[in-house]
């Protein structure tokens, strides 16, 4: 395979017809072909995802947020380490970190300049069972948005120790066999799924032979990124309907890179974002994503609220919740007994600052529609036409929450 030259990708391509816009050639298509040659993904569109993510690492400072890349597989021998090896040649200033000994080490590493952190065996190195992993994950979470920092003690004058705010912002790729990551980390991730290449469709990554070509392709991506840096910094392209909040923070950077690349890439970025949204919705529908008890409670209160009434007595709410969703609020729930007024009140006060009232001095205590409206609106709950069917029971729903 011939060597790559960054200059090859910075020259304008002549349009096929006068009506077509002139577009810059980019190294994204060669990078995509490179991944296709050496990596086997379950879905072909994940090759586009790997390409856009690798390119975005060279522009991460301009994109303000950087989604974590999760290279996932349910079984060993699926090529996760191979993907990290290729990313280490194509990404910005990469560092392979099979394990990170401490959050302070990560912060000190990034204090000298932005790096692309590549973490292998994340199912072990980021296991919640290990001491200190919670703090390390907090650093990784804070570092997905520009401005993230961690206070670190550094030697001062006279044998003292000074506190220095060290940056944590950096692109991060994690590879593991279905790693048990907390929800707040998963929400910052975009996922590539791998399975073993049983047909042998991918070429062997013989680095003695392909090292120079890989390095040249990485240099081409870096050179192209330098030519579009100002464009990416000021670009604010639209995303498909439904890509909001954390999803926008994850897919916005890749869309900005895709727009700078032009051609088919903006549509590719939109399709990838929509597929991610569909996956999240499908997992929620199938019960894979378990809602927090207080979120589930608020949704159920919204469903049982009497049409046109401004007040719901606590006892009436409890009866309907237990009758309609016994697996969540009755004796069949993981909590083991019916929801009580005290537990209902604690959940609403703790999470939403909602308290009971008694509009009629001689009447029962309960909840006003007005007190719940802000929480209903914040979760995007619309007034239903009638009662929905009870949700499917969710195992391990509560986990001690109250």
């Amino acid at each position: 395979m011939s060597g790559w030259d960054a200059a090859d990708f910075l020259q304008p391509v002549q349009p096929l017809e006068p009506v077509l816009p002139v577009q810059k050639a980019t190294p994204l298509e060669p990078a995509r072909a490179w991944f296709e040659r050496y990596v086997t993904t379950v879905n072909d569109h994940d090759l586009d995802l790997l390409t856009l993510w690798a390119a975005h690492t060279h522009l991460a400072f301009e994109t303000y947020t950087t989604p974590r890349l999760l290279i996932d597989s349910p079984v060993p021998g699926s090529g996760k380490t191979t993907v990290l090896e290729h990313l280490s040649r194509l990404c910005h200033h990469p560092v392979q970190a099979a394990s990170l000994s401490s959050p302070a080490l990560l912060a000190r590493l990034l204090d000298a300049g932005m790096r692309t952190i590549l973490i292998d065996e994340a199912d072990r190195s980021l296991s919640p069972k290990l001491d200190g992993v919670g703090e390390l994950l907090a650093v990784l979470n804070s570092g997905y948005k520009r401005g993230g920092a961690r206070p670190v003690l550094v030697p001062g004058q006279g044998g003292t120790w000074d506190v220095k705010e060290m940056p944590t912002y950096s692109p991060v790729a994690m590879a593991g066999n279905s790693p048990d990551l907390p929800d707040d980390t998963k929400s910052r991730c975009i996922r590539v799924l791998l399975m073993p290449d049983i047909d042998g469709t991918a070429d062997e990554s013989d680095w003695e032979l392909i090292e120079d070509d890989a390095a040249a392709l990485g240099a081409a991506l870096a050179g192209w990124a330098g030519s579009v840096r100002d464009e990416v910094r000021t670009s604010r392209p639209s995303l498909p309907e439904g890509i909001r909040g954390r999803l926008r923070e994850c897919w916005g950077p890749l869309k900005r890179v895709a727009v700078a690349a032009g051609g088919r890439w903006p549509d590719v970025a939109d399709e990838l974002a929509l597929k991610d949204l569909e996956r999240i919705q499908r997992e929620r529908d199938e019960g894979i994503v378990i809602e927090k008890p207080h979120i589930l409670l608020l949704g159920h209160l919204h469903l049982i609220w009497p049409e046109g009434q401004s007040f719901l007595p606590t006892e009436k709410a409890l009866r309907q919740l237990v009758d309609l969703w016994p697996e969540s609020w009755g004796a069949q729930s993981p909590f083991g007994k019916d929801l009580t007024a005290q537990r209902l009140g604690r959940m609403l006060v703790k999470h939403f600052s909602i308290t009971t009232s008694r509009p009629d001095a001689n009447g029962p205590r309960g909840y006003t529609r007005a007190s719940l409206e802000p929480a209903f609106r914040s979760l995007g709950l619309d007034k239903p036409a009638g009662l929905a069917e009870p949700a499917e029971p969710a195992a391990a729903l509560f986990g001690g929450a109250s």
Side-chain angles (χ1 to χ4, degrees), residues 1-4 213:
M1 188 174 183
S2 60
W4 300 97
D213 284 349

Side-chain angles (χ1 to χ4, degrees), residues 342-360:
Q342 291 74 22
R343 186 155 61 96
L344 171 66
R346 284 199 302 269
M347 293 173 72
L348 293 177
V349 167
K350 176 180 177 181
H351 298 285
F352 304 107
S353 297
I354 296 171
T355 59
T356 60
S357 63
R358 180 181 283 144
D360 184 343

Side-chain angles (χ1 to χ4, degrees), residues 61 64 142-150 165-169:
F61 192 81
Y64 191 78
S142 71
Y144 98 111
K145 184 177 290 187
R146 202 170 77 194
R150 182 188 189 277
E165 290 281 336
M166 292 187 175
T168 58
Y169 182 59

Side-chain angles (χ1 to χ4, degrees), residues 232-304:
V232 171
R233 182 185 298 113
T234 58
S235 174
R236 296 295 183 274
S238 62
L239 285 164
E241 183 69 25
I243 307 302
R244 305 174 58 189
R246 186 61 56 78
L247 275 177
R248 174 172 288 276
E249 291 177 343
C250 286
W251 290 102
L254 302 193
K255 179 63 179 288
R256 289 163 74 170
V257 172
V259 169
R264 71 183 184 94
W265 289 101
D267 289 339
V268 166
D270 285 346
E271 291 171 8
L272 288 169
L274 287 173
K275 287 181 184 297
D276 197 26
L277 176 62
E278 291 169 3
R279 175 190 60 81
I280 292 171
Q281 293 172 336
R282 185 169 59 252
E283 290 180 353
R284 182 175 291 115
D285 292 342
E286 295 174 355
I288 298 174
V289 177
I290 304 302
E291 287 186 308
K292 300 294 185 182
H294 58 279
I295 300 296
L296 188 66
L297 174 63
L298 200 68
H300 286 172
L301 284 174
H302 188 271
L303 287 172
I304 67 172

Side-chain angles (χ1 to χ4, degrees), residues 2-13 24-27 220:
S2 60
W4 300 97
D5 187 344
D8 294 340
F9 303 102
L10 304 180
Q11 301 301 320
V13 174
K24 289 184 297 183
T26 75

Side-chain angles (χ1 to χ4, degrees), residues 150-220:
R150 182 188 189 277
V152 176
L153 288 174
V154 296
Q157 294 182 350
T160 62
W161 290 89
D162 298 330
V163 176
K164 179 180 179 181
E165 290 281 336
M166 292 187 175
T168 58
Y169 182 59
S170 64
V172 176
M174 300 170 284
N177 295 322
S178 303
D180 183 20
L181 300 174
D183 290 343
D184 54 353
T185 302
K186 288 181 181 177
S187 70
R188 292 168 167 85
C189 291
I190 54 180
R191 180 174 176 245
V192 169
L193 181 62
L194 304 179
M195 292 291 284
D197 181 19
I198 58 176
D199 296 324
T201 56
D203 288 358
E204 291 289 336
S205 298
D206 188 337
W207 291 109
E208 288 186 283
L209 299 178
I210 67 174
E211 183 74 55
D212 290 344
D213 284 349
L217 182 54

Side-chain angles (χ1 to χ4, degrees), residues 327-341:
E327 299 87 354
S328 298
W329 310 116
Q332 302 175 35
S333 71
F335 200 80
K337 58 183 178 180
D338 288 355
L339 181 67
T340 64

